[in-house]
């Protein structure tokens, strides 16, 4: 009888699809260098949906543009390393990068009207992208464009392929943009606020589409949004950004069930509920998010945090790799009590 | 029978209609008619907040501008405080505007970038001459205090403020004439959630302190639920349902309201399975469907819905109205 093989204690860790380590981005401004992203690290596994959530100015979009090398190199300073399938992509030449962008990494940007060129049909734009990356005949590329448009939910793709962007509604334009991003079957889709410009009923259609794409094509998705509801419904993991740093990271279920960072507490509490009792007052976070040139050296949230104490003047530890962690000095065992205290104190009499 | 007479509505619209002509050329009769608002009837009572929700293109902003008579009406009657203002000319409207003000969505576009806050808010006081010149300074400081900004901000320009602060300035300008009614068109949709909560709270506080009446237009149903006493839901230029906020949200009567509520992603909820997905797109207001406007996307639609347009009908003992042949909440 052969001896039973002992399984390894932990399955061998798969190399992540995307590994961002210690990414910092600063811009040249009239007042000197301004740091927009401060030492951000995260990974994306194949086939997963990672959501980066934060308010405007928190650095979500800058993070994404830096990954794709889309910042203006004359005014932007990028530090750190980004590994995509083991290749360092920050150091790549424009020529090498162009081979990856659009083919292996697809981008869906927020405003489909400005992302599509108005002077060509959507079919033309999809065919152009396919033929930039693959040796394929025009007719075959056009056929693939029609298939893609059918895939993203156009009722009449053979006709839609010859439409100009202005002839489509907002939801249809966003679908055309998704078809464009998918045209070379990318391993990673980066979606920057893909549903913000859309109505809720159309947003529901697009979110369903994104989930289906992940299931059918196995694409990993980085979903950037400010809407906690969207995150909750589609993301596997969430990273909460504030003032250029990831302040909390974890699985979606863990972050919503047991948020750890005071900023996340405030963010979740300031969303008016759609069910249950209405509150006389919404709980809001006092003050304003800092601008890039006013981010404190220590914890970025400390000036607005009711639990801030002396230690917060230093940079809080960032426990990378933990399945759920927060960049905060508060004692983890105290947090639940402090959070319920905060919600209690704010409750109107 | 209740002893007290029902309160007189502050604003009452009957069959309000606004058409625009698009694609008009030199030749007469060449344009097409865009039916932005069609036969809308609604009442706004003193002290309440009427929430007006709908998706883009539903006509909610056009309706808001008709209610404040920033637009001339194509048809219908509009009473403000018992007075017919449906066809009033600008001169006759000026005193009405002392009681009726508007707040706009984009505070950076609705504030003149070349003028200081002092002038933006102070102009209203000068134009309407509601304060002696000597008292204007005090009133400005008082207004800034009301909206939670210090008086020392008066000499700044709009670009020196954040989005939330700019919206506070827009509110101060609307409050300057001490209006009874404020129509707010998407006042918080350009703001981040944490700031949005501050402004929503400000709206509620001001209502209590100054006994204001609001028409609050927004596409965000959660925000509307937070501020409104009653809610009216618009679809393609018509009001499909009205009702008390809690009743309407817990038991929607119109299929469109039901679909709209189910489409909103909720933090902490993962069930996407039981969502009602609306097929297709909003039909064009240039060529609305013949019967019920929602019939092309409604999952309950029957033959009758495609030919007869349902009129708003009272349900739930008269506290709600719904324009549907087969409402989800029964009872007259």
């Amino acid at each position: 009888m052969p001896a039973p093989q002992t399984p390894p204690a932990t399955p061998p860790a798969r190399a992540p699809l995307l590994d961002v380590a210690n990414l910092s981005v600063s811009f040249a401004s009239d007042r000197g260098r301004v740091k927009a992203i401060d030492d951000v690290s995260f990974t994306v596994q194949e086939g997963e949906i990672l959501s980066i959530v934060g308010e405007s100015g928190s650095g979500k979009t800058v993070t994404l543009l830096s990954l794709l090398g889309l910042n203006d190199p004359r005014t932007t300073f990028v530090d750190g390393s980004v590994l995509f399938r083991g290749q360092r992509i920050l150091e790549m030449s424009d020529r090498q990068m162009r081979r990856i962008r659009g083919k292996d990494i697809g981008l869906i940007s927020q405003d489909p009207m400005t992302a599509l060129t108005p002077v060509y049909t959507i079919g033309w734009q999809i065919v152009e992208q396919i033929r930039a990356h693959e040796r394929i005949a025009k007719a075959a590329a056009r056929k693939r464009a029609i298939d893609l448009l059918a895939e993203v939910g156009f009722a009449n793709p053979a006709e839609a392929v010859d439409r100009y962007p202005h002839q489509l509604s907002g939801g249809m334009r966003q679908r055309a943009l998704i078809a464009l991003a998918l045209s070379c079957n990318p391993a990673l889709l980066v979606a920057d606020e893909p549903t913000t410009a859309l109505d809720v009923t159309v947003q529901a259609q697009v979110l369903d589409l994104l989930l289906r794409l992940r299931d059918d094509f196995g694409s990993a998705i980085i979903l950037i949004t400010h809407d906690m509801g969207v995150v909750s419904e589609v993301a596997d993991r969430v990273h909460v950004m504030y003032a250029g740093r990831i302040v909390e990271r974890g699985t979606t279920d863990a972050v919503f069930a047991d948020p750890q960072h005071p900023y996340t507490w405030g963010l979740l509490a300031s969303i008016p509920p759609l069910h249950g009792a209405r509150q006389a007052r919404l709980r809001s976070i006092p003050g304003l998010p800092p601008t890039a040139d006013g981010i404190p050296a220590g914890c970025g949230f400390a000036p607005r945090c009711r639990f801030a104490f002396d230690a917060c003047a230093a940079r809080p530890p960032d426990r990378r790799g933990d399945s759920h962690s927060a960049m905060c000095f508060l004692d983890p065992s105290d947090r639940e009590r402090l959070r319920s205290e905060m919600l209690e104190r704010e409750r109107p009499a | 029978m209740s002893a007290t007479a029902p309160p007189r509505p502050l604003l009452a619209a009957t069959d309000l209609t606004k058409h625009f002509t698009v694609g008009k050329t030199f030749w007469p009769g060449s344009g097409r008619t865009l039916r932005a608002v069609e036969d809308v009837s609604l009442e706004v009572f003193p002290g309440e907040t009427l929430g007006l929700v709908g998706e883009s293109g539903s006509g909610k902003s056009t309706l808001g501008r008709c209610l404040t008579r920033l637009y001339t009406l194509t048809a219908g009657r509009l009473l403000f405080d018992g007075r017919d203002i449906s066809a009033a000319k600008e001169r006759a409207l000026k005193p009405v505007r002392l009681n009726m003000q508007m707040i706009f969505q984009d505070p950076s576009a609705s504030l003149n970038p070349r003028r200081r806050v002092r002038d933006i808010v102070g102009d209203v006081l000068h134009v309407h001459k509601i304060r002696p010149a000597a008292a204007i300074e005090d009133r400005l400081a008082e207004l800034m205090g009301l909206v939670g900004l210090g008086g020392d901000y008066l000499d700044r320009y709009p670009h020196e403020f954040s989005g939330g602060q700019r919206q506070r300035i827009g509110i101060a300008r609307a409050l300057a004439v001490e209006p009874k009614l404020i129509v707010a068109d998407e006042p918080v949709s350009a703001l981040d959630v944490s700031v949005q909560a501050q402004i929503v709270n400000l709206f509620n506080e001001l209502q209590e302190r100054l006994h204001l009446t609001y028409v609050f237009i927004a596409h965000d149903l959660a925000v509307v639920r937070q501020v409104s006493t009653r809610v009216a839901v618009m679809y393609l230029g018509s009001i499909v349902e009205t009702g008390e906020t809690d009743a309407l949200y817990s038991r929607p009567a119109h299929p469109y309201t039901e679909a709209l509520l189910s489409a909103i992603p909720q933090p902490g909820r993962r069930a996407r399975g039981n969502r009602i997905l609306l097929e297709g797109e909003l039909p064009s207001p240039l060529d609305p469907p013949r019967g019920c406007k929602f019939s092309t996307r409604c999952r309950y639609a029957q033959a009758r819905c495609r030919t007869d347009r349902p009129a708003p009908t009272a349900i739930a003992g008269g506290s709600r109205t719904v324009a549907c042949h087969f409402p989800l909440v029964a009872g007259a």
Side-chain angles (χ1 to χ4, degrees):
Chain A
M1 212 164 102
Q5 282 190 339
T6 47
T10 49
R14 266 188 311 155
L17 181 66
L18 184 79
D19 189 346
V20 178
N22 311 103
L23 182 73
S24 293
V25 180
S26 51
F27 296 113
S29 81
D30 337 340
R31 277 165 288 180
R33 267 212 208 183
V34 165
K35 206 164 209 178
I37 304 291
D38 186 8
D39 201 9
V40 159
S41 303
F42 63 91
T43 60
V44 183
Q45 302 292 339
E46 273 175 49
E48 87 168 336
I49 301 183
L50 170 75
S51 189
I52 299 180
V53 65
E55 297 182 280
S56 39
S58 60
K60 323 183 283 282
T61 302
V62 175
T63 306
L64 167 160
L65 292 178
S66 318
L67 296 185
L68 295 172
L70 290 174
N71 282 321
D72 183 346
R74 287 167 302 181
T75 54
T76 317
F77 308 94
V78 182
D79 253 341
S81 85
V82 178
L83 294 177
F84 176 72
R85 288 186 164 150
Q87 296 170 279
R88 299 175 69 86
I89 59 175
L90 286 183
E91 289 78 9
M92 282 185 180
S93 66
D94 283 355
R95 202 185 150 82
Q96 288 171 306
M97 199 59 211
R98 268 203 299 275
R99 255 183 244 143
I100 289 184
R101 254 190 329 243
K103 182 170 195 306
D104 299 312
I105 305 179
L107 171 69
I108 304 170
S109 62
Q110 174 169 3
D111 183 356
M113 199 60 220
T114 51
L116 293 164
T117 156
V119 298
Y120 289 109
T121 62
I122 55 171
W124 189 95
Q125 297 180 46
I126 297 175
V127 167
E128 183 200 31
Q129 173 150 330
I130 296 175
R131 282 170 50 93
H133 293 291
E134 289 174 40
R135 294 175 66 87
I136 179 173
K138 252 188 191 157
R142 183 181 155 89
K143 194 180 165 300
R144 198 151 109 204
I146 295 175
D147 292 344
L148 280 163
L149 290 174
E151 189 63 44
V152 297
F154 276 83
N156 196 348
E159 190 196 322
V161 74
D162 292 320
R163 293 283 179 91
Y164 289 89
H166 74 266
Q167 295 174 300
L168 304 172
S169 68
M172 281 297 148
R173 262 181 241 146
Q174 194 57 279
R175 283 160 195 267
L177 198 59
I178 294 175
L180 186 66
L182 287 175
S183 58
C184 294
N185 210 350
L188 177 66
L189 260 180
V190 187
D192 186 10
E193 305 262 12
T195 60
T196 305
L198 307 176
D199 282 315
V200 273
T201 57
V202 182
Q203 165 174 287
Q205 296 169 351
V206 171
L207 291 181
D208 262 33
L209 174 64
L210 286 179
L211 281 174
R212 201 157 50 78
L213 293 174
R214 189 264 301 263
D215 296 343
D216 294 357
F217 293 83
S219 306
I221 300 175
I222 301 179
L223 178 73
I224 292 188
T225 179
H226 67 275
D227 187 330
M228 286 300 232
V230 169
V231 173
S232 166
E233 291 209 354
V234 301
D236 301 313
R237 286 192 300 134
V238 195
H239 288 356
V240 181
M241 275 194 92
Y242 186 82
R245 293 171 190 157
I246 293 175
V247 295
E248 177 157 1
R249 60 179 86 225
T251 62
T252 306
D253 293 334
V255 169
F256 280 92
D258 182 25
Q260 292 291 308
H261 197 283
Y263 173 64
T264 318
W265 302 345
L267 199 58
L268 286 171
S270 53
I271 303 169
L274 203 54
H275 303 284
R278 281 196 275 162
Q279 300 142 350
R281 276 181 66 82
L282 285 177
R283 301 185 189 92
S284 59
I285 306 175
L288 298 170
T291 50
D293 57 355
I295 298 175
C299 170
F301 186 60
R304 298 174 79 189
C305 181
R306 69 190 71 233
F307 306 110
F309 61 113
D310 302 346
C312 302
R315 192 190 159 98
D318 185 14
R319 285 179 284 275
R320 196 185 170 213
D322 288 1
S323 66
H324 186 191
S325 66
M327 207 174 164
C328 180
F329 281 113
L330 292 177
D331 189 343
S333 58
D334 264 358
R335 289 189 190 158
E336 200 176 330
R337 181 179 59 79
L338 292 173
R339 178 175 180 232
S340 55
E341 223 177 81
M342 174 192 105
L343 297 180
E344 198 57 47
R345 181 147 25 121
E346 301 262 299
R347 180 160 297 159
Chain B
M1 275 257 168
S2 81
T4 52
R8 187 176 71 165
L10 183 60
L11 187 73
T14 318
D15 297 331
L16 209 67
T17 298
K18 177 68 185 174
H19 291 173
F20 294 101
T21 307
V22 295
K24 192 172 157 70
T25 59
F26 174 75
W27 282 271
S30 58
R32 299 176 68 196
T33 305
L34 187 148
R35 298 161 200 279
V37 173
E38 262 191 304
D39 296 330
V40 163
S41 300
L42 58 82
E43 290 177 326
V44 186
F45 294 96
E48 78 168 349
T49 300
L50 177 73
L52 205 54
V53 295
E55 297 181 279
S56 43
S58 63
K60 53 189 192 307
S61 289
T62 306
L63 179 57
R65 285 165 188 231
C66 287
L67 293 178
T68 45
R69 278 299 320 277
L70 292 179
Y71 284 152
T72 53
L73 310 178
T74 307
R77 232 161 81 91
L78 182 63
L79 299 181
F80 181 77
D81 225 355
R83 208 173 129 198
D84 191 334
I85 56 165
S86 354
K89 297 268 186 293
E90 279 306 314
R91 188 183 292 268
L93 279 174
K94 194 174 162 190
V96 177
R97 298 231 156 97
L98 281 175
N99 286 315
M100 189 161 73
Q101 284 288 310
M102 197 151 180
I103 295 169
F104 300 92
Q105 168 170 8
D106 184 353
S108 35
S110 63
L111 302 176
N112 187 338
R114 292 169 165 250
R115 311 197 68 206
R116 297 165 201 273
V117 175
R118 170 188 305 285
D119 306 319
I120 292 171
V121 181
D123 264 4
V124 187
L125 300 171
H126 288 292
V127 166
H128 288 287
K129 300 192 179 65
I130 43 181
R131 281 284 196 289
I136 283 183
E137 192 61 27
D138 288 345
R139 176 63 178 158
L140 285 175
E142 185 190 354
L143 284 167
M144 294 299 272
L146 270 176
V147 298
L149 291 172
D152 44 338
Y153 286 110
L154 276 169
D155 287 309
R156 299 212 190 165
Y157 291 93
H159 76 264
E160 298 176 74
F161 295 91
S162 69
Q165 289 172 322
R166 272 182 224 152
Q167 199 52 286
R168 288 174 195 266
I169 297 167
I171 297 172
R173 178 173 59 182
L175 290 177
V177 297
E178 298 172 57
K180 291 180 182 164
L181 175 73
I182 290 183
V183 176
D185 187 4
E186 301 269 15
V188 297
S189 43
L191 308 174
D192 277 316
V193 261
S194 71
V195 179
Q196 171 180 296
Q198 297 170 3
I199 302 294
V200 165
N201 287 339
L202 177 65
F203 267 91
N204 283 338
E205 285 159 23
L206 290 172
Q207 180 164 47
E208 243 167 67
R209 280 175 71 174
L210 307 172
H211 310 289
L212 294 167
T213 306
Y214 294 135
V215 175
F216 195 99
I217 303 171
H219 68 276
D220 185 329
L221 278 93
V223 168
V224 167
R225 178 173 184 262
Q226 177 66 28
V227 297
S228 307
T229 342
R230 281 192 312 131
V231 175
V233 183
M234 282 193 85
Y235 184 79
L236 211 60
S238 302
I239 288 181
V240 296
E241 176 169 5
T242 65
E244 303 282 334
T245 307
D246 289 325
L248 187 137
Y249 277 74
S250 56
R251 288 188 67 202
H254 197 282
Y256 175 63
T257 316
E258 184 194 37
L260 199 58
L261 284 170
S262 100
I264 303 168
Q266 281 288 290
R269 190 186 74 172
R270 283 192 82 96
R272 286 187 62 81
N274 45 24
R275 146 160 311 154
I276 304 165
L277 262 193
L278 282 185
E279 297 290 325
E281 306 265 323
L282 196 71
S284 163
L286 284 167
D287 183 22
R290 209 152 56 87
C292 169
K293 288 177 175 174
F294 187 57
S295 60
T296 52
R297 303 169 79 192
C298 180
R299 58 185 191 152
Y300 309 105
Q302 302 189 14
R304 182 183 169 200
C305 302
R306 300 197 176 89
T307 52
D308 293 357
R309 186 163 294 174
T313 319
I315 53 161
S319 63
R320 306 174 64 172
T321 64
V322 60
C324 180
H325 293 306
F326 307 102
L328 307 169
V329 175

